Amino acid sequence: MPLSPSSPAAHDTIIVLDYGGQYAHLIANRLRRLRVFSEILPPDAPLREMTNLKGVILSGGPNSVYDPASPALNPDLLESGLPVLGLCYGHQLLAQALQGRVTPGTTREYGSARLKILRHEGVFKGLADTEEVWMSHGDTVSELPRGFTVLGATDDCPIAAMGHSGRRIYGFQFHPEVTHTEHGLDMLDNFIDLCDCRRDWTMENFVGEAIREIQNRVRDRNVFFFVSGGVDSTVAFALCNRALGEERVTGLYVNNGFMRKDETPFVQAALHAAGFHNLRVVDASDRFLAAVAGVTDPQEKRRIIGGAFIEVRDTALGDLDLDPEHWMLGQGTLYPDIIESGGAQHAAVIKTHHNRVDIIHELLARGLVLEPLAQLYKDEVRQVGRELGLPEALVERHPFPGPGLSVRCLCSNGEADPAPDSALRRVEDLAEAFGLRGTALPVRSVGVQGDFRTYAHPAVLSGEANWRVLESASTALTNAIPEVNRVTFLLRPAALPPLRPKAATLTRDRLDRLRDADDVVMQALEEFGLMDDIFQMPTVLIPLTSDGEDEIVVLRPLSSRDVMTARFAEIPLEIAQEIADRIMALGGVAAVLYDVTHKPPATMEWE
Ligand code: XMP
């Protein structure tokens, strides 16, 4: 990994050393919100070679300091004289390295705890006598290193926070970076003060610096972008336009036929609003639809669509005859995509797939790919979009998968695929225990359990319920019945009509039906002010019919931070029912369901 991917103008920096998991990104993101530039590096990064370094945070991680294979403390760290804050595993590493003592735990402790603050200075300046903090640990620090004092304790953890104010070294057993630690941001803010750090990381500054950097890198060449309409590629495109002027930037938007309703005019209008008019549009929907005609298998659909995209892209690049001596290729890659840890791997796999095209490999190898957002997190990209004058409706958009609505339009050869009778009876019995009716649908959707993928039946619950009852029922059903990996709740009509599978593939008619339903959902989220609260909300069309014509629709609102895990989002029930009424009013819809399954056990998308 490069020390600093494309380090911006000299910003004072706090480094996060990554000991595993998602924590490191969360910490760096919080520091940046406090306007300090922060980067993630591996535990053994050569810190002494870094300029502008003002402090170091050691992240938490899944290891025990007693495991011989666990990452050790960076040898440069204690000699550097820099302020250090160790969190969880980092706290234990500090205690061990400085001759304190860490006691191995036999069980892991998770959850909220009351931290009694013993010294209201330094990292705890301005905090209350007790603070709500989030704990997640196995081992604990049982003896302080020499010269350290206890700064905070909980009932179960007498050394929950320690510090050596002379050396400016601190350790917390809890996680200040998670929102469950109510004043965690204030603690990080105090640490920044102790680092004597200039707070100059703002998106206003970033735009100015990025423009200069783009101009320096591109020199007298031009830049070509594939613009998908997603936040990242659109903001990257707009930023390059601002840096180089419209005549030197070309954007190409490929309509693959699986886009949202009125997507093309929406993206054009959003760019126009910011003063950019240089987006070309290619309608390749016939070609994509022809390629998937008659295909029902989900993985086959994905493979064909990925392949077709590469062909269309190659053709477009070939047609434009972009001489690499005079052109660079722009991409909207974000910071988590280029850091090799946790959830980023997921993104990396998807990216590798789409970037497999030879011409792009060649451009990458020759340094002809421009990634102006490669240092930013999503929330920062949104802020840059606002700075550039892009409309709120674009910068607040939810992430949308590359294969688009194709993965939300389930297909079938028309054969029934019912759950076994025994499983159906267990669904009915368990539902009844929650005061509800229950059945399982004769189709399958994807789920994930541990490292395993499941392909099993969705259950449908109906009756009077609230989200708490539905959450408990959902967990009970998916835990108890192996044939069920997903649970939904019937919003409309009052009772589920008898349904049978129908043969259905990716046709324009079905995609239009799904587009209309999806559009109702997106508009309702805007109207009811719910867009920000929800990470993503797939609307899914399922080929089960009551009259041979109609199909059923599922709403899948989600909360998630990193897409590796997710919770079903709780839209107020009256609003969910209102949305269902509007979808029923479109016609051709037999029922509207609400997916009430977390990930795991169900994936976010249905296939
Ligand atoms: P799952 O369904 O795996 O989704 O829980 C996790 C996240 O990944 C997105 N997703 C995709 N994105 N190509 C993409 O570019 C795909 O084939 C694909 N499948 C899922 C999904 O929307 C969610 O954000």
Side-chain angles (χ1 to χ4, degrees):
M1 191 192 320
L3 248 193
S4 178
S6 56
S7 198
H11 289 283
D12 282 357
T13 301
I14 295 179
I15 286 298
V16 179
L17 295 181
D18 181 4
Y19 289 95
Q22 292 299 312
Y23 305 104
H25 277 300
L26 223 46
I27 302 163
N29 190 244
R30 294 280 181 272
L31 294 172
R32 289 177 182 210
R33 281 192 205 178
L34 295 164
R35 300 173 46 200
V36 170
F37 184 66
S38 176
E39 280 191 297
I40 296 172
L41 292 176
D44 57 354
L47 300 176
R48 67 180 77 194
E49 291 169 19
M50 297 199 57
T51 49
N52 305 321
L53 185 54
K54 295 291 183 181
V56 180
I57 296 187
L58 314 178
S59 84
N63 297 76
S64 161
V65 292
Y66 283 103
D67 179 352
S70 65
L73 195 70
N74 189 304
D76 290 355
L77 193 67
L78 300 175
E79 282 154 35
S80 69
L82 289 168
V84 179
L85 173 61
L87 303 178
C88 195
Y89 179 77
H91 167 70
Q92 293 158 14
L93 261 186
L94 284 172
Q96 192 194 41
L98 295 165
Q99 273 85 53
R101 184 194 291 269
V102 178
T103 305
T106 42
T107 52
R108 265 188 102 77
E109 179 193 344
Y110 286 103
S112 281
R114 303 291 294 165
L115 177 76
K116 206 162 160 351
I117 292 191
L118 305 174
R119 289 182 182 235
H120 291 80
E121 57 188 43
V123 278
F124 289 153
K125 200 168 134 196
L127 294 165
D129 292 345
T130 51
E131 289 285 344
E132 182 94 7
V133 298
W134 185 259
M135 288 283 193
S136 158
H137 66 111
D139 300 351
T140 45
V141 175
S142 51
E143 255 172 56
L144 286 173
R146 234 201 5 228
F148 277 69
T149 44
V150 180
L151 304 180
T154 68
D155 284 348
D156 295 326
C157 186
I159 309 181
M162 63 177 190
H164 188 306
S165 56
R167 296 178 72 181
R168 296 184 297 175
I169 299 178
Y170 304 89
F172 296 167
Q173 185 54 68
F174 56 90
H175 290 274
E177 71 275 23
V178 304
T179 47
H180 306 287
T181 297
E182 207 184 340
H183 293 113
L185 210 59
D186 297 329
M187 298 173 192
L188 293 174
D189 200 45
N190 285 331
F191 180 67
I192 293 172
D193 282 343
L194 294 167
C195 294
D196 263 334
C197 219
R198 237 180 328 140
R199 299 179 190 238
D200 56 1
W201 182 250
T202 65
M203 288 308 103
E204 195 187 345
N205 289 345
F206 172 84
V207 168
E209 290 160 15
I211 285 176
R212 281 191 293 281
E213 182 154 332
I214 291 168
Q215 290 165 342
N216 286 339
R217 271 209 67 204
V218 178
R219 295 193 306 276
D220 55 355
R221 291 173 292 209
N222 296 334
V223 182
F224 177 81
F225 270 92
F226 285 102
V227 177
S228 70
V231 180
D232 310 341
S233 64
T234 315
V235 170
F237 175 67
L239 186 59
C240 272
N241 266 316
R242 185 58 56 84
L244 303 170
E246 288 194 69
E247 40 314 316
R248 293 178 54 200
V249 185
T250 296
L252 187 71
Y253 168 95
V254 178
N255 177 5
N256 59 10
F258 310 121
M259 298 301 203
R260 292 197 143 127
K261 189 171 178 176
D262 298 332
E263 179 72 8
T264 313
F266 171 82
V267 178
Q268 279 175 321
L271 286 165
H272 278 203
F276 308 123
H277 309 90
N278 50 341
L279 184 71
R280 295 193 205 182
V281 175
V282 173
D283 185 354
S285 55
D286 285 343
R287 175 167 181 173
F288 278 85
L289 288 179
V292 292
V295 177
T296 54
D297 178 70
Q299 290 308 340
E300 181 72 357
K301 275 171 23 184
R302 263 202 180 73
R303 196 187 59 71
I304 294 173
I305 292 165
F309 187 71
I310 288 165
E311 280 171 29
V312 168
R313 192 145 91 164
D314 257 347
T315 311
L317 287 174
D319 287 351
L320 287 166
D321 193 20
L322 301 180
D323 168 7
E325 296 310 316
H326 300 107
W327 284 92
M328 292 184 80
L329 180 76
Q331 299 199 138
T333 316
L334 302 195
Y335 187 54
D337 301 337
I338 58 167
I339 295 291
E340 297 156 331
S341 70
Q345 272 166 9
H346 187 74
V349 172
I350 294 167
K351 268 201 160 51
T352 320
H353 180 67
H354 286 306
N355 287 353
R356 195 152 38 84
V357 52
D358 287 347
I359 191 163
I360 292 182
H361 268 314
E362 189 191 312
L363 293 177
L364 267 169
R366 296 172 58 194
L368 291 173
V369 177
L370 182 73
E371 295 179 322
L373 308 178
Q375 272 188 322
L376 304 189
Y377 286 102
K378 194 85 170 185
D379 54 327
E380 295 175 315
V381 173
R382 295 198 158 114
Q383 198 51 41
V384 169
R386 290 187 189 103
E387 293 285 339
L388 293 169
L390 292 171
E392 207 53 26
L394 186 128
V395 296
E396 277 305 322
R397 292 195 111 182
H398 292 169
F400 191 63
L405 296 180
S406 73
V407 300
R408 299 176 179 173
C409 192
L410 270 54
C411 299
S412 163
N413 58 13
E415 279 169 27
D417 182 13
D421 284 345
S422 58
L424 279 169
R425 271 196 302 278
R426 295 190 72 192
V427 172
E428 282 166 24
D429 291 348
L430 264 174
E432 207 179 308
F434 288 91
L436 298 164
R437 286 183 301 284
T439 185
L441 297 176
V443 293
R444 287 172 198 254
S445 83
V446 177
V448 54
Q449 235 131 15
D451 287 334
F452 298 99
R453 192 173 173 278
T454 59
Y455 198 47
H457 297 277
V460 185
L461 301 174
S462 52
E464 288 286 316
N466 60 40
W467 295 132
R468 292 287 65 75
V469 169
L470 290 167
E471 182 181 17
S472 306
S474 171
T475 306
L477 262 73
T478 51
N479 281 346
I481 312 170
E483 293 86 354
V484 169
N485 63 355
R486 196 182 280 274
V487 178
T488 63
F489 176 61
L490 178 67
L491 291 172
R492 290 289 187 256
L496 196 66
L499 295 168
R500 59 181 192 278
K502 77 172 198 182
T505 54
L506 287 174
T507 56
R508 216 178 267 278
D509 282 353
R510 291 189 75 223
L511 286 160
D512 281 343
R513 186 178 278 179
L514 176 55
R515 260 188 275 273
D516 285 341
D518 175 71
D519 190 48
V520 165
V521 172
M522 288 299 129
Q523 294 209 22
L525 291 187
E526 280 295 353
E527 179 184 334
F528 295 110
L530 293 168
M531 206 53 121
D532 289 2
D533 300 339
I534 290 175
F535 174 83
Q536 208 177 9
M537 184 157 170
T539 298
V540 189
L541 188 69
I542 301 190
L544 289 174
T545 186
S546 68
D547 62 5
E549 238 331 285
D550 59 12
E551 298 193 40
I552 64 175
V553 167
V554 183
L555 310 180
R556 174 84 171 124
L558 290 157
S559 313
S560 176
R561 199 186 288 277
D562 55 29
V563 311
M564 302 306 283
T565 61
R567 298 176 62 82
F568 77 86
E570 298 170 15
I571 292 181
L573 203 52
E574 322 78 72
I575 296 181
Q577 283 161 343
E578 169 65 24
I579 296 174
D581 285 336
R582 293 181 191 180
I583 291 174
M584 294 293 288
L586 295 170
V589 178
V592 180
L593 311 177
Y594 191 112
D595 191 334
V596 290
T597 333
H598 300 317
K599 172 185 179 175
T603 46
M604 294 168 71
E605 306 286 354
W606 270 53
E607 67 173 29

